[in-house]
Amino acid sequence: MSNGLLISRLPRAFDPELGVEARALFPGLSGALSELVAGAGGSSPYLMSLMTLERDWLPDALSNPDAAVDEVMALVRELAPDALKPGLRQAKRRLALLTALADLSGAWPLERVTGLLTDFAGLAADVAAKAEIAALIRRGKLPGQTEADVETASGMVILAMGKMGAHELNYSSDIDLIVLFDETRYDPDDFYEARQGMVKATRNFCATLSDKTADGYVFRTDLRLRPDPAVTPVCMAMEAAERYYESLGRTWERAAYIKARPCAGDLTAGQRFLDTLRPFVWRRHLDFAAIQDAHDMRLRIRENKGTGGPLVIPGHDMKLGRGGIREIEFFTQTRQLIAGGRDHDLRLRGTVPGLAALAAKGWVPEDVAQQLTDHYRAHREVEHRIQMVHDSQTHRVPQTKDGIERVACLMGTDAASLTAELTRRLNEVHELTEGFFAPGAGPSPTPRVEPRIEFDENVLARWTTYPALRSQRSRQIFERLKPELLARLAATAKPEEALLALDGFLAGLPAGVQLFSLFEANPQLSDLLIDIVGTSNALASYLSRNSAVFDAVIGGSFFDDWPGTKVLATQLAEKLAAEPDYEMRLDMARRWNKEWHFRIGVHHLRGLIGADRAGEQYAELAEAVISSILPVVVDHFSRKHGTPPGRGAVVLGMGSLGAGRINAQSDLDLILIYDPQDVETSEGPRPLAARTYYARLTQALITALTAPMSQGRLYEVDMRLRPSGNQGPVATSWASFTAYQQSEAWVWEHLALTRARPVAGAADLARDIEAFRQDLLAKTTDRDKVVREVYQMRARLAAAKSPSGVWDAKTGPGRMLDIELVSQAGALLAGSAARNVASGLESGVAAGWLEVADAQVLQRAYDLFWSVQTAARLLSVTAISAETIGQGGAAFLCRSAGFETIDALEAALENSYAEAAIRIDTAVGEWDDAENG
């Protein structure tokens, strides 16, 4: 098997005589290899000069190019300090010649060519820098450093930026570097001396690479991408650079760091530095404001470089000009900036891999990504051939006809064909990318026919006084959005009512640039916003405070099927594990929970799911949060007090959570049960007695769920259903729990146990708790005692709180709590372990306590009440009334409950309350009548 070049194309000689001379340099070559050197040497004076210098080396290299590359790299690593400059230049000369011939012949793909050039640049920088560091150490100019520190360059960090960072160096590229040093390796008193040494080493190693000698140069180096290069030294302390980016970093610097990569020096410290910049580069929200920033950068480049105007191929800049390489890179990087903060899979340095990832995640259409990839590779090949002619760092197509013909010869074509091909590709790239950065540059959309509505000018005028519209940039974006928003408002059933709702939303926004940019880039969100503000004041108010949840709508899966508890818990656990500290994990959980909570509300609001399914999803979401947060809390607590004694703890969901159905504003009824077994104390830096350990762990869990943080709180928690209520310990031991339930528990506590369900914690303990619950409920129960307790509990509930009106479906005779109480009693009387209302009512029938007709009436009533209550909690945080919820809210209530009009729904509620109350009075009153008869 041959190890030589697999030639698939050949250049042709622009100057046939020079081609003959090139062929004569290598009499041992024949066939396609001979044609290759003739075409290359006959079209490129630079390649001809390299072949002349390396005529003894090249034939063997062409016979086994991979081995030749390995040999060149190995020799570079062994270069002595006094041989560094000539040795690096010879290595560059040989690799430049070999990569050019492999590129021109089609033997190596673009990625192999650019990758090899990049790897050599990194190696050259590393060798040159460490040689300077070694010299400084020998002279005692780096305090505290020894020969052993040379391997890590005494903390010098060299970051490859731009094309070098992405492994995409072009043929005659300079290399963009940022040089830093790890100041923590030096005593604070030695900082300035260390920095002085690092600055000198940086200047010297850059000179080693870029100085032109009789042997040529290695790479031109550019250090201007560092923070504020006009006033900062060429080598900065990492800590100073970090402070700069945190306080002054700009969007173009964020984009630059997408491709940043430690390439030489102390690679570990370099990666640590990039890790600290991750929040700066990758914003947690979808960052559509980056689009305008990128567009502004494009316009500045066009203005400064003179690359605007109509497309003319002679002299066209293949990098910065219309439809050029930079357009594709900006298109890719901007989309990565938009979504990469939320999706780690998009954090790729290379342009082609970046496009592929964006297409896979739905951010770029597959065909667009494929077209841009094809154009990108073709553009880079043209760029390489332009540079190969004279080894010039230029990206411009030659101005002269002969110049274009020379490039065409290197590509194996002619000037006319090349010009036509470039024209087609450049125009296609421009068309594919321009609309993204400047939507107004594309075809004008069909004008929206606006209903003739005169909106209240006083409302419109006060918008500019709101915090979200105080900056000039936010006002500019909003002014572009405003006509569309008003047109959509005018199309609603009650435009003035919807206007006031939108006004309330805008008034609550703390900032506007990001959100308005999001809406401008995703017009479909305007419909959703108007739908929400016109229907649900509660959801609109929530959006004002948490507008980042809109990110979830355009994340690609917002309208997918519900994933279920296990998938949700796995997803959240992965996100929490990626956060660096405890508080950030808790904040991440809140952010994540908000988005899923918002999704359920939107699905319910738009009729994609009914009230029953919404309730189940809210409960599954809460379970996923608790099951993911508990291990995080335990891990954090264990670092101080040791791992949980015994076999750990279980969180028991009670009430509606235990039954698997809650609403948008439900708090969580929880009990924590632990089993220390025979372990008396924990083992850790600060050990605790088992009882104290679990009591404090429970408090830590409650705090993790309820504490207000930058992203709000997760849930309110109620633990009054634990044994002995508020008088009992906050955490209950397994032994105490079982003993209490068997001998001391009140009937109401056994009623509550009918809906208990383990939702998080130790699996074996959870199984034991569930087995115990089922066994306890299955035991014979005194019917009179249970019915008496239900009677008394109804009386206590009635005395404690009266219904706020017809729309309060929860509290009052014949309403939700009343039916739930009857259902729990039915389950207890029948010894059933089923938790939901329907099963409890059926159990009451099976126990001979309820009539079939009574159970059916109560179930129908409960379904109606649940649909109203769930919708009402989405509409408002306070009690609702038909007069205050507006037309949109009334329509949602009717849709949720299955009624045509609000009056019909109100009448149905009144009738159902009365009928359910009579049926319950009949069932519970049997004991009362017998007692008093």
Side-chain angles (χ1 to χ4, degrees):
M1 179 178 177
S2 173
N3 293 317
L5 294 179
L6 297 176
I7 295 174
S8 61
R9 62 191 180 196
L10 287 169
R12 57 189 182 86
F14 172 78
D15 184 337
E17 292 184 4
L18 275 179
V20 171
E21 290 182 23
R23 196 193 302 265
L25 290 172
F26 307 99
L29 298 181
S30 61
L33 285 177
S34 182
E35 292 293 328
L36 174 61
V37 297
S43 296
S44 165
Y46 173 65
L47 294 180
M48 184 65 180
S49 69
L50 294 185
M51 286 189 281
T52 301
L53 290 170
E54 299 297 340
R55 58 179 173 271
D56 294 331
W57 174 82
L58 184 60
D60 287 341
L62 290 175
S63 68
N64 193 340
D66 291 341
V69 168
D70 292 342
E71 181 184 20
V72 169
M73 296 290 204
L75 289 173
V76 167
R77 294 185 183 95
E78 301 300 324
L79 285 173
D82 58 349
L84 202 56
K85 282 193 173 182
L88 286 174
R89 282 154 178 74
Q90 182 189 63
K92 171 64 183 298
R93 195 165 60 233
R94 289 178 171 178
L95 290 181
L97 177 56
L98 186 57
T99 54
L101 296 177
D103 188 0
L104 293 172
S105 65
W108 289 355
L110 174 68
E111 288 76 10
R112 175 76 195 279
V113 172
T114 59
L116 178 56
L117 291 170
T118 303
D119 288 342
F120 174 67
L123 176 60
D126 191 61
V127 169
K130 287 176 179 175
E132 293 300 326
I133 293 294
L136 288 173
I137 291 174
R138 285 194 301 270
R139 292 161 50 201
K141 297 298 184 180
L142 288 178
Q145 302 297 294
T146 67
E147 285 287 326
D149 294 302
V150 174
E151 182 60 29
T152 55
S154 291
M156 175 182 278
V157 168
I158 302 176
L159 299 178
M161 307 296 289
K163 286 185 169 62
M164 184 174 174
H167 270 92
E168 294 174 345
L169 276 187
N170 57 49
Y171 189 74
S172 295
S173 184
D174 57 4
I175 55 176
D176 293 308
L177 305 175
I178 291 178
V179 186
L180 309 168
F181 74 97
D182 181 2
E183 72 285 348
T184 64
R185 291 183 59 163
Y186 298 88
D187 188 285
D189 292 337
D190 296 327
F191 173 81
Y192 290 104
E193 185 179 356
R195 188 179 69 176
Q196 184 179 12
M198 287 292 179
V199 167
K200 184 172 184 178
T202 300
R203 289 187 177 132
N204 288 348
F205 93 73
C206 288
T208 297
L209 298 178
S210 58
D211 284 354
K212 280 200 170 186
T213 70
D215 299 306
Y217 70 100
V218 189
F219 288 100
R220 293 172 290 266
T221 57
D222 190 337
L223 304 178
R224 290 174 296 174
L225 289 182
R226 70 184 184 274
D228 208 352
V231 296
T232 56
V234 292
C235 182
M236 297 177 62
M238 286 166 50
E239 191 265 343
E242 183 181 345
R243 281 203 315 270
Y244 167 86
Y245 291 120
E246 285 179 351
S247 58
L248 300 172
R250 291 159 289 181
T251 297
W252 74 262
E253 289 169 311
R254 292 177 55 212
Y257 268 94
I258 290 178
K259 296 186 175 185
R261 175 178 59 86
C263 70
D266 191 337
L267 300 180
T268 301
Q271 188 56 54
R272 190 170 68 248
F273 174 76
L274 292 184
D275 290 343
T276 64
L277 289 195
R278 194 176 295 130
F280 163 67
V281 180
W282 305 109
R283 302 288 168 82
R284 294 187 181 278
H285 52 72
L286 293 176
D287 188 11
F288 280 91
I291 297 175
Q292 185 65 47
D293 291 335
H295 182 50
D296 292 343
M297 280 191 282
R298 293 166 70 242
L299 295 180
R300 285 196 298 272
I301 289 171
R302 290 180 183 179
E303 181 179 349
N304 294 337
K305 300 291 185 179
T307 55
L311 177 62
V312 179
I313 296 302
H316 186 75
D317 194 318
M318 291 298 299
K319 178 180 178 181
L320 302 178
R322 176 188 176 104
I325 294 167
R326 185 55 55 85
E327 301 280 285
I328 302 173
E329 291 174 340
F330 268 21
F331 178 89
T332 306
Q333 290 171 10
T334 304
R335 276 175 158 78
Q336 288 175 292
L337 283 179
I338 289 170
R342 294 167 53 88
D343 190 341
H344 289 217
D345 293 343
L346 300 179
R347 300 178 184 182
L348 301 172
R349 295 184 178 100
T351 302
V352 170
L355 280 169
L358 289 165
K361 294 303 181 79
W363 287 98
V364 175
E366 185 69 42
D367 60 326
V368 172
Q370 192 55 55
Q371 290 178 67
L372 289 177
T373 295
D374 178 57
H375 291 321
Y376 179 78
R377 287 191 168 118
H379 282 8
R380 294 300 306 274
E381 288 197 350
V382 173
E383 176 191 47
H384 282 188
R385 280 138 189 79
I386 291 171
Q387 294 175 349
M388 283 177 191
V389 175
H390 295 293
D391 187 31
S392 301
Q393 177 57 9
T394 181
H395 310 275
R396 290 189 178 274
V397 177
Q399 291 276 8
T400 66
K401 182 178 179 181
D402 280 356
I404 296 175
E405 184 66 35
R406 190 183 289 271
V407 173
C409 286
L410 283 173
M411 301 191 70
T413 185
D414 58 75
S417 298
L418 176 60
T419 300
E421 179 75 357
L422 286 180
T423 302
R424 178 184 69 82
R425 288 187 179 277
L426 291 165
N427 280 327
E428 286 184 13
V429 170
H430 181 75
E431 290 169 6
L432 289 169
T433 59
E434 188 70 10
F436 171 64
F437 290 108
S444 299
T446 303
R448 176 183 284 270
V449 179
E450 299 187 21
R452 296 185 177 181
I453 300 290
E454 294 294 330
F455 287 110
D456 187 336
E457 290 295 332
N458 292 325
V459 175
L460 302 181
R462 66 183 179 228
W463 285 355
T464 56
T465 68
Y466 293 157
L469 287 157
R470 283 179 184 162
S471 75
Q472 181 180 1
R473 185 174 179 186
S474 65
R475 288 196 299 272
Q476 288 173 343
I477 302 171
F478 186 75
E479 283 303 313
R480 297 196 294 265
L481 288 173
K482 186 176 173 182
E484 183 71 10
L485 287 174
L486 293 179
R488 292 174 192 268
L489 286 174
T492 60
K494 285 196 171 182
E496 288 296 339
E497 188 179 287
L499 175 68
L500 291 176
L502 178 63
D503 177 62
F505 169 76
L506 293 173
L509 280 177
V513 171
Q514 285 292 340
L515 183 65
F516 299 154
S517 298
L518 176 72
F519 275 79
E520 188 172 39
N522 301 272
Q524 75 276 14
L525 292 184
S526 296
D527 277 332
L528 179 59
L529 175 63
I530 299 304
D531 196 4
I532 290 171
V533 300
T535 305
S536 169
N537 287 334
L539 204 52
S541 175
Y542 171 81
L543 283 177
S544 291
R545 302 187 307 273
N546 303 282
S547 59
V549 296
F550 271 118
D551 292 358
V553 181
I554 55 175
S557 60
F558 189 79
F559 293 104
D560 287 356
D561 292 338
W562 181 252
T565 308
K566 288 185 178 179
V567 173
L568 288 171
T570 300
Q571 182 188 118
L572 178 54
E574 290 174 351
K575 289 185 175 295
L576 296 179
E579 295 298 322
D581 61 51
Y582 185 63
E583 286 197 5
M584 293 182 73
R585 291 187 183 107
L586 298 187
D587 239 9
M588 166 55 76
R590 284 154 171 74
R591 185 180 306 109
W592 181 89
N593 187 55
K594 280 180 183 178
E595 292 183 359
W596 282 98
H597 206 270
F598 175 64
R599 171 191 151 128
I600 299 169
V602 170
H603 281 218
H604 187 196
L605 196 69
R606 289 202 152 183
L608 300 176
I609 56 175
D612 55 343
R613 191 70 187 107
E616 292 168 0
Q617 291 183 6
Y618 283 127
E620 290 178 10
L621 177 61
E623 183 177 349
V625 168
I626 297 168
S627 64
S628 300
I629 282 289
L630 179 60
V632 172
V633 174
V634 170
D635 177 69
H636 181 70
F637 193 79
S638 298
R639 294 180 187 181
K640 185 182 292 185
H641 301 296
T643 56
R647 57 176 178 157
V650 164
V651 177
L652 206 58
M654 307 294 288
S656 296
L657 177 62
R661 220 161 60 158
I662 62 177
N663 64 54
Q665 295 180 34
S666 292
D667 57 9
L668 304 182
D669 294 308
L670 304 177
I671 295 175
L672 188 134
I673 300 172
Y674 66 94
D675 184 10
Q677 296 177 311
D678 297 325
V679 181
E680 295 183 356
T681 62
S682 64
E683 295 182 4
R686 294 169 62 182
L688 295 172
R691 181 174 179 176
T692 306
Y693 182 100
Y694 283 106
R696 292 190 186 177
L697 177 64
T698 303
Q699 292 289 3
L701 175 63
I702 295 171
T703 300
L705 293 171
T706 63
M709 302 180 69
S710 66
Q711 295 292 322
R713 69 180 83 237
L714 282 165
Y715 294 98
E716 294 289 356
V717 171
D718 188 340
M719 302 197 75
R720 289 175 295 177
L721 291 179
R722 67 186 186 270
S724 301
N726 285 339
Q727 305 305 313
V730 71
T732 306
S733 74
W734 173 228
S736 297
F737 178 79
T738 55
Y740 180 86
Q741 292 290 344
Q742 288 170 330
S743 59
E744 300 179 45
W746 297 80
V747 172
W748 73 262
E749 290 176 298
H750 283 174
L751 289 171
L753 206 61
T754 63
R755 301 209 289 176
R757 180 169 60 92
V759 294
D764 59 334
L765 180 56
R767 285 191 294 269
D768 287 350
I769 293 171
E770 178 57 19
F772 171 79
R773 185 187 81 92
Q774 293 185 20
D775 290 343
L776 185 70
L777 295 178
K779 292 179 179 178
T780 304
T781 304
D782 184 333
R783 174 172 167 172
D784 285 350
K785 186 177 180 181
V786 171
V787 177
R788 183 189 305 116
E789 181 67 20
V790 170
Y791 178 85
Q792 294 171 348
M793 286 183 69
R794 290 187 78 210
R796 288 196 296 271
L797 286 171
K801 187 176 182 182
S802 299
S804 59
V806 66
W807 300 106
D808 181 359
K810 181 178 180 181
T811 306
R815 307 193 187 202
M816 285 176 62
L817 289 180
D818 214 10
I819 298 174
E820 288 172 358
L821 187 58
V822 171
S823 170
Q824 292 169 52
L828 190 59
L829 291 173
S832 170
R835 299 178 176 90
N836 60 61
V837 169
S839 298
L841 294 174
E842 291 169 2
S843 297
V845 173
W849 177 48
L850 297 177
E851 297 295 332
V852 172
D854 293 339
Q856 290 174 343
V857 167
L858 293 178
Q859 182 61 54
R860 284 195 298 270
Y862 188 82
D863 289 342
L864 173 62
F865 303 160
W866 176 263
S867 67
V868 170
Q869 178 73 2
T870 307
R873 293 283 70 80
L874 191 60
L875 290 175
S876 174
V877 296
T878 58
I880 65 169
S881 68
E883 294 74 29
T884 60
I885 59 174
Q887 185 168 330
F892 172 55
L893 267 180
C894 290
R895 186 170 67 246
S896 180
F899 282 77
E900 291 294 328
T901 67
I902 198 72
D903 291 338
L905 174 57
E906 184 172 345
L909 284 172
E910 294 279 20
N911 291 335
S912 295
Y913 295 152
E915 186 172 9
I918 291 171
R919 304 276 179 158
I920 296 172
D921 286 343
T922 300
V924 176
E926 290 178 0
W927 171 83
D928 191 41
D929 294 341
E931 178 79 359
N932 295 292

